[in-house]
Amino acid sequence: MNVTKAVIPAAGLGTRVLPATKSVPKEMLPIVDRPAIHYIVEEAVRAGITDILIITSRGKSSVEDYFDRAPELEERLLRSGKEALYRQIIAVTQMANIQYVRQQEAKGLGHAVLCAKSFVGSEPFAVLYGDDVIVSPPDKPVIGQLCEAYDRYGLGVVGMKEVTPEQIVKYSSLAVEPLEDRVYKVTDMVEKPAPDKILSLYSILGRCILPAEVFSILESTPPGAGGELQLTDAMRALARTQGMTGVDYIGKRYDMGNKLGVLEAIVEVGAAHPEIGEGFRAYLREFCRTLG
Ligand code: UTP
């Protein structure tokens, strides 16, 4: 069954990028000239996803404004002959069928995904974490790489990468067995493992495909690490019962919920940018000389 629906949880408090995120959602932090969430929606669309539900919260209406029409601006651009820009901003509003639901309290990623229950219905669906931008070759969107594994094995899929021992205790840790190139069977997982509970250095990073059964599991999952309803806890139940697969995806992830990640994204995307890349690379070369 083709995956046509995606959920983008974007309702977190973003405390690691305060004070900016007091009034600018981390999902709206710009990478050159587009907000982070634009890249995420683009990735989903490239993978053939047509319907997207963005989970928002208080103070995040700029996400809705971004994907909405802006008649006054559109008219001004047309009147002043800026047709290329006009087409660009209209294209943003036509990327996909985008809907929104508000998570009333930030009770965790699992709780945010549960808010998508009626949107999803009974189909498998993609989850793209709203603060994880992943750059990959245009014909290999990361969520598409996961969809391929879903088609082949018919099980929920997590996107995974190896991380450092310092990082794994802040992320999740997976028990895996190799199946084929870059694809693994996932038999167990733990969120924010204590050092003696680390299963491997493979962690879920930013993307998954889930069967609709995850909703009933989430409904009976108690709060986990940090007192939040953890999506990982529900996926662990799936991994232990029906099994899940993991894809060590091709792509570079930038954590927009972390100050260093924001800077890495801006520098690397900026350096490859068709319009300003050349000038920016020249600036970087000069700047690097001053670092000693
Ligand atoms: P994070 O755990 O990185 O988000 O969740 P956070 O709670 O904003 O993080 P801090 O405060 O910096 O530690 C990953 C994704 O899940 C969303 C976030 O917006 C982010 O895109 N999320 C998280 C929700 O939608 N709701 C929540 O209750 C928690």
Side-chain angles (χ1 to χ4, degrees):
M1 181 190 267
N2 281 348
V3 176
T4 60
K5 290 185 179 176
V7 175
I8 304 181
L13 295 175
T15 54
R16 288 164 295 151
V17 202
L18 278 170
T21 44
K22 187 163 172 252
S23 61
V24 182
K26 58 181 168 174
E27 297 81 6
M28 288 300 289
L29 292 173
I31 304 175
V32 190
D33 52 1
R34 284 141 219 249
I37 200 159
H38 179 115
Y39 295 85
I40 296 171
V41 168
E42 200 168 51
E43 177 192 329
V45 170
R46 282 205 182 113
I49 284 165
T50 50
D51 295 272
I52 297 175
L53 181 74
I54 302 181
I55 315 292
T56 65
S57 56
R58 275 180 305 285
K60 300 227 183 191
S61 51
S62 57
V63 176
E64 292 174 55
D65 292 340
Y66 180 73
F67 292 104
D68 199 358
R69 296 289 299 265
E72 202 183 335
L73 173 64
E74 290 164 19
E75 203 197 315
R76 177 72 61 91
L77 291 174
L78 277 182
R79 258 197 289 127
S80 52
K82 295 182 174 158
E83 276 172 30
L85 258 184
Y86 168 81
R87 280 197 300 275
Q88 220 179 319
I89 68 150
I90 291 290
V92 170
T93 69
Q94 296 173 339
M95 291 171 87
N97 171 25
I98 303 181
Q99 302 175 39
Y100 304 88
V101 69
R102 272 165 81 131
Q103 185 188 20
Q104 293 186 331
E105 288 175 76
K107 291 185 181 169
L109 182 57
H111 182 262
V113 169
L114 196 46
C115 296
K117 186 179 173 189
S118 56
F119 164 81
V120 167
S122 56
E123 298 170 33
F125 64 104
V127 181
L128 297 92
Y129 299 11
D131 57 354
D132 279 326
V133 169
I134 311 181
V135 175
S136 65
D139 61 338
K140 282 207 179 314
V142 169
I143 201 68
Q145 297 174 41
L146 271 60
C147 286
E148 280 171 26
Y150 181 82
D151 286 346
R152 238 179 357 266
Y153 295 95
L155 298 171
V157 190
V158 293
M160 60 185 224
K161 284 265 163 221
E162 252 180 322
V163 300
T164 63
E166 294 73 44
Q167 288 171 320
I168 198 86
V169 291
K170 294 187 222 150
Y171 297 168
S172 56
S173 173
L174 301 172
V176 296
E177 294 163 18
L179 284 173
E180 55 178 298
D181 188 31
R182 291 185 169 272
V183 183
Y184 295 76
K185 180 176 177 193
V186 177
T187 53
D188 203 1
M189 60 183 78
V190 54
E191 179 69 20
K192 297 190 177 56
D196 62 329
K197 296 278 184 311
I198 293 171
L199 302 168
S200 79
L201 291 180
Y202 273 115
S203 183
I204 303 168
L205 286 185
R207 303 288 181 266
C208 48
I209 308 276
L210 297 171
E213 287 95 316
V214 77
F215 294 116
S216 54
I217 299 174
L218 278 168
E219 278 163 345
S220 58
T221 300
E228 295 188 340
L229 179 48
Q230 297 290 349
L231 184 60
T232 308
D233 292 344
M235 290 196 283
R236 181 180 53 211
L238 279 176
R240 286 181 175 177
T241 51
Q242 55 193 69
M244 290 190 81
T245 48
V247 174
D248 183 354
Y249 56 73
I250 299 166
K252 169 108 194 249
R253 165 190 173 262
Y254 301 99
D255 180 0
M256 296 298 290
N258 163 321
K259 290 168 200 153
L260 197 54
V262 174
L263 287 176
E264 286 170 4
I266 292 171
V267 169
E268 293 184 30
V269 174
H273 196 276
E275 188 188 322
I276 53 112
E278 199 182 328
F280 186 53
R281 289 195 300 276
Y283 160 76
L284 280 179
R285 275 191 287 271
E286 277 303 306
F287 180 67
C288 286
R289 273 195 213 119
T290 69
L291 297 177

